[in-house]
Amino acid sequence: MEDQAQLEQASPSVQKRIQDSFDRQGLMGHLGARLAHIGPGRVHIVLPARPEVTQQHGYVHAGATSAIADSAGGYAALTLFDEDSDVVTVEYKINLIAPATGDHLQAVGTVLKSGRTLTVCQFEVYGVHGDGVRKLVANGQQTLIRMNRPTE
Amino acid sequence: MEDQAQLEQASPSVQKRIQDSFDRQGLMGHLGARLAHIGPGRVHIVLPARPEVTQQHGYVHAGATSAIADSAGGYAALTLFDEDSDVVTVEYKINLIAPATGDHLQAVGTVLKSGRTLTVCQFEVYGVHGDGVRKLVANGQQTLIRMNRPTE
Amino acid sequence: MEDQAQLEQASPSVQKRIQDSFDRQGLMGHLGARLAHIGPGRVHIVLPARPEVTQQHGYVHAGATSAIADSAGGYAALTLFDEDSDVVTVEYKINLIAPATGDHLQAVGTVLKSGRTLTVCQFEVYGVHGDGVRKLVANGQQTLIRMNRPTE
Amino acid sequence: MEDQAQLEQASPSVQKRIQDSFDRQGLMGHLGARLAHIGPGRVHIVLPARPEVTQQHGYVHAGATSAIADSAGGYAALTLFDEDSDVVTVEYKINLIAPATGDHLQAVGTVLKSGRTLTVCQFEVYGVHGDGVRKLVANGQQTLIRMNRPTE
């Protein structure tokens, strides 16, 4: 994540809100994924390659790739909402462009259009290798809907 | 899977080929998913709802829903290939139609068009509740490509 | 449209509402498309194959195929709304499964889930030949949003 | 297309090949669309807003927007092929992000990954207004397949 230093950070309260929500996603912890960057309209999630996330040829499974891509897009959308709003994925489309190899995957979710009701995000997933090589392995587009957060 | 009795089964050799490939998918085992039906051009995968597969509200995460949907479609395609061919997902699109609740999810992948190079599948994911209620939670469409299986 | 006799028809007022809206779509008239069936949650649109709608090989262009598919899905959604609501396409995904040949194309849009804000539709497009042969040429899935109709 | 001067142009033979194919697309002529830029892996298509391309509210129809987006992506892919290859759209997904208003639409198709068999493109469509304002109205992602051009 050598480019992270130059990336704009979201406010501490937004970062806390995103991290708290992420920590409640049982799947992210179970896969071993973690938040690597929280900026305004942009979130990075990292997933180490492990046998627990593979498909039949030993690459990272499209489902694991999609899971971090979907979460990266969803949290990118959430960074632009006020604290009374929550976000739900309506749909997404993903192209698996190359075998998902590398030491870890990095999913980058970016808000393309943040509307009152709907948000459209794009995401890319990179395979990051030990030697620093970073290769696009998946790419997609996502529609999300803003929900009122239930009072707890 | 009360309807499974009436479903056409794939041949034993195809069933074995699919099960062997599924067993090599580390992600499916890690999520707790299992093959529930292998028919010609149609595969069912079941995923018990557990804290390890949830999103922030306790429903099954779109990533886990997508993972079993993608595998169900992929294996549905593979049932129609000869044993020298393998299958890779090119892309898919999924709509998350309702919160993924229930005791378990059932993903149903079905081949819509099996071509020489490309296969198009549809998939549905249902939330299945203890009282037998079965509700559509996701729906999608997938493109796959046939690959020559590497000689081992 | 030999199966049309058995298809359930929408009420006359819904049929009129859909037909009036369709008639305001300059593109549909310019392409030569017409409404062939208006049922509750299901709409058919027919497009005669003409040089004006072709791609470079003389088949119907994916853009024309998509145009009638998008309109069929959108009007299928609209049949289930009250007269104060209008519909806008949020996004769709389409697979072009076979060359779009035939005397005309028939697009069939069907509502999969009609929600308060969002509707999800599926659509198929068939190439219909003079001898009655009907072949699937495209298939897709669409998300739409309900809008309040502006007071006129 | 004030930015076109800085854009890299494809070779004259590639430009001719793309233009010839475009001229055979009956739909593009019928809609009034024209090629505005042909660069390596990038093609622009312009569509003047006219009553013939509208939906029921007078905006450009999603089908017309999609048609030029699909062609822009397809021709972007084709710029990178040798003259014995042709291209066919496998599938695409498009988000209609804002009402398609303006004097004309500009579709920009860009190759994301050009593989031996499959190519993945992205496209954006802008509404361009008389005062020079340029607004994103649609965005999408497309999969294409390389075909051998039939000997004529």
Side-chain angles (χ1 to χ4, degrees):
Chain A
M1 242 52 45
E2 64 285 9
D3 58 351
Q4 198 181 329
Q6 298 103 306
L7 290 174
E8 190 185 353
Q9 304 289 320
S11 73
S13 72
V14 166
Q15 295 210 33
K16 181 178 183 328
R17 192 150 48 88
I18 303 294
Q19 186 70 57
D20 287 351
S21 175
F22 186 91
D23 292 344
R24 285 197 302 272
Q25 292 202 337
L27 183 67
M28 289 295 108
H30 190 55
L31 294 179
R34 62 179 179 78
L35 281 164
H37 172 70
I38 306 168
R42 180 165 176 173
V43 163
H44 296 187
I45 294 177
V46 160
L47 176 73
R50 294 186 303 151
E52 286 84 352
V53 297
T54 53
Q55 37 84 290
Q56 72 276 20
H57 304 120
Y59 306 134
V60 178
H61 194 288
T65 304
S66 300
I68 59 169
D70 172 56
S71 282
Y75 285 125
L78 193 59
T79 62
L80 304 183
F81 293 177
D82 63 37
E83 59 182 15
D84 297 328
S85 297
D86 206 339
V87 67
V88 173
T89 301
V90 170
E91 62 83 38
Y92 66 83
K93 182 258 205 285
I94 186 167
N95 275 76
L96 292 317
I97 283 171
T101 59
D103 290 336
H104 65 266
L105 298 189
Q106 180 199 30
V108 176
T110 312
V111 174
L112 185 68
K113 165 77 182 285
S114 183
R116 194 165 49 87
T117 306
L118 297 178
T119 294
V120 179
C121 288
Q122 289 186 306
F123 49 70
E124 297 90 42
V125 184
Y126 299 92
V128 186
H129 295 255
D131 54 7
V133 172
R134 195 163 165 272
K135 192 180 169 188
L136 186 66
V137 299
N139 200 77
Q141 197 162 311
Q142 182 188 31
T143 310
L144 305 114
I145 191 164
R146 187 193 300 254
M147 311 289 275
N148 291 325
R149 186 186 292 272
T151 1
E152 295 172 49
Chain B
M1 245 49 53
E2 62 286 4
D3 58 350
Q4 197 181 330
Q6 298 103 309
L7 290 174
E8 190 184 353
Q9 305 289 321
S11 73
S13 71
V14 166
Q15 295 211 34
K16 181 178 183 330
R17 192 150 47 88
I18 303 295
Q19 185 70 56
D20 287 351
S21 175
F22 186 91
D23 292 343
R24 286 197 303 273
Q25 293 202 338
L27 182 68
M28 290 296 107
H30 190 55
L31 294 179
R34 62 179 178 78
L35 280 164
H37 171 69
I38 306 168
R42 179 163 178 174
V43 163
H44 297 187
I45 294 177
V46 161
L47 177 73
R50 292 187 303 150
E52 285 85 351
V53 296
T54 54
Q55 38 85 291
Q56 73 275 20
H57 304 119
Y59 306 133
V60 177
H61 194 288
T65 303
S66 300
I68 59 168
D70 172 54
S71 282
Y75 285 125
L78 193 59
T79 61
L80 303 184
F81 292 178
D82 63 36
E83 60 183 15
D84 296 328
S85 297
D86 207 342
V87 66
V88 173
T89 301
V90 170
E91 62 82 39
Y92 66 84
K93 180 257 206 289
I94 185 167
N95 275 77
L96 291 317
I97 284 172
T101 58
D103 291 336
H104 65 267
L105 298 188
Q106 179 199 31
V108 176
T110 312
V111 174
L112 186 66
K113 164 79 181 282
S114 183
R116 196 165 48 89
T117 307
L118 298 177
T119 295
V120 179
C121 289
Q122 289 187 307
F123 49 70
E124 298 91 41
V125 184
Y126 299 91
V128 185
H129 296 256
D131 54 6
V133 171
R134 194 163 165 272
K135 192 179 169 188
L136 186 66
V137 300
N139 201 77
Q141 196 162 311
Q142 181 188 31
T143 310
L144 305 116
I145 191 165
R146 189 194 299 254
M147 311 288 274
N148 291 326
R149 186 186 290 273
T151 2
E152 295 171 50
Chain C
M1 246 48 53
E2 61 287 3
D3 58 351
Q4 198 180 328
Q6 299 102 308
L7 290 173
E8 190 186 353
Q9 304 289 320
S11 73
S13 72
V14 166
Q15 295 210 33
K16 181 179 183 327
R17 193 151 47 87
I18 303 295
Q19 185 71 56
D20 286 352
S21 175
F22 186 92
D23 291 344
R24 286 197 302 273
Q25 293 202 337
L27 181 67
M28 290 295 107
H30 190 55
L31 294 179
R34 61 177 179 79
L35 281 165
H37 172 70
I38 306 168
R42 179 163 177 173
V43 163
H44 297 188
I45 294 177
V46 160
L47 176 73
R50 293 186 305 150
E52 286 84 352
V53 297
T54 54
Q55 39 85 290
Q56 72 275 20
H57 304 119
Y59 306 134
V60 177
H61 195 287
T65 303
S66 300
I68 58 167
D70 173 55
S71 282
Y75 285 126
L78 194 58
T79 61
L80 303 184
F81 293 178
D82 62 37
E83 60 183 14
D84 296 328
S85 297
D86 207 341
V87 67
V88 173
T89 301
V90 170
E91 61 83 37
Y92 67 83
K93 180 258 205 287
I94 186 168
N95 275 76
L96 291 319
I97 284 172
T101 59
D103 290 337
H104 65 267
L105 298 189
Q106 178 199 31
V108 176
T110 312
V111 174
L112 185 67
K113 165 79 182 280
S114 184
R116 196 165 48 89
T117 306
L118 298 177
T119 294
V120 179
C121 289
Q122 289 187 307
F123 49 69
E124 297 90 42
V125 184
Y126 299 92
V128 186
H129 296 257
D131 53 7
V133 171
R134 195 163 164 271
K135 192 180 168 188
L136 186 67
V137 300
N139 200 77
Q141 197 162 311
Q142 181 188 31
T143 310
L144 305 115
I145 191 165
R146 188 193 299 253
M147 311 288 274
N148 291 326
R149 186 186 291 274
T151 2
E152 295 173 48
Chain D
M1 244 52 49
E2 62 286 7
D3 59 351
Q4 198 181 329
Q6 300 102 306
L7 289 174
E8 189 185 353
Q9 304 289 320
S11 73
S13 72
V14 166
Q15 295 211 32
K16 181 178 181 329
R17 192 150 47 90
I18 303 293
Q19 185 71 56
D20 287 351
S21 175
F22 186 91
D23 293 344
R24 285 196 302 272
Q25 293 202 337
L27 182 67
M28 289 296 108
H30 190 55
L31 295 179
R34 62 179 179 79
L35 280 164
H37 172 69
I38 306 168
R42 179 164 177 172
V43 163
H44 297 187
I45 294 176
V46 160
L47 176 73
R50 294 187 303 151
E52 286 84 353
V53 297
T54 54
Q55 38 86 289
Q56 72 275 21
H57 305 119
Y59 306 132
V60 178
H61 195 287
T65 304
S66 301
I68 60 168
D70 173 55
S71 282
Y75 285 126
L78 194 59
T79 61
L80 303 184
F81 292 177
D82 62 38
E83 59 183 14
D84 296 328
S85 298
D86 207 340
V87 67
V88 173
T89 301
V90 170
E91 63 82 38
Y92 66 84
K93 182 259 204 287
I94 185 167
N95 275 77
L96 291 318
I97 283 170
T101 60
D103 290 337
H104 66 266
L105 298 189
Q106 179 199 32
V108 176
T110 313
V111 174
L112 184 68
K113 163 79 183 283
S114 184
R116 196 164 48 88
T117 306
L118 298 177
T119 295
V120 178
C121 288
Q122 289 186 305
F123 49 70
E124 296 90 43
V125 184
Y126 299 92
V128 186
H129 296 256
D131 53 8
V133 171
R134 194 164 166 272
K135 191 180 170 188
L136 186 67
V137 300
N139 200 79
Q141 196 161 312
Q142 182 188 31
T143 310
L144 305 114
I145 191 165
R146 188 193 298 253
M147 310 289 276
N148 290 326
R149 187 186 291 274
T151 2
E152 295 172 49

